[in-house]
Amino acid sequence: MMRLSGMDIYFEIANKDTLVDLLLEEGYDDFYFFPCKRYSAGAFLISAEEQVSARRDFGLFRLFLHETEAIVLSAAIKRELKDKTIKIFVNELKEL
């Protein structure tokens, strides 16, 4: 059994293409994308539609890699999108 980390990257949907390009440039060509919504209080929401619905369009990329790779990739993503809303999480996984 191989021990991998699941890396979840949550981001504003407008940054999807930038992140895809970065992942490919860093050599990651096997990952998953999920559209999702972020629900939050008013200060985070920009448009009138977002303020009425209390949600904003986000995306989630999920990758499976070793933890050391995840740390390096996370740093590269944060450098690239330093002024953007982005959340990155890593969970230890066991493939069955």
Side-chain angles (χ1 to χ4, degrees), residues 8-68:
D8 289 347
I9 308 164
Y10 292 87
F11 56 92
E12 295 175 65
I13 199 68
N15 296 314
K16 180 182 176 189
D17 291 341
T18 301
L19 272 170
V20 168
D21 291 345
L22 177 67
L23 290 170
L24 294 174
E25 286 170 15
E26 295 290 326
Y28 296 97
D29 59 2
D30 185 13
F31 49 89
Y32 299 86
F33 168 74
F34 305 90
C36 57
K37 302 283 187 191
R38 178 177 179 181
Y39 287 80
S40 68
F44 174 75
L45 305 169
I46 295 172
S47 72
E49 178 184 344
E50 291 172 355
Q51 290 173 0
V52 169
S53 66
R55 66 180 185 246
R56 189 157 190 198
D57 289 332
F58 260 62
L60 163 62
F61 281 126
R62 180 164 298 149
L63 295 86
F64 300 100
L65 62 174
H66 296 284
E67 187 174 356
T68 52

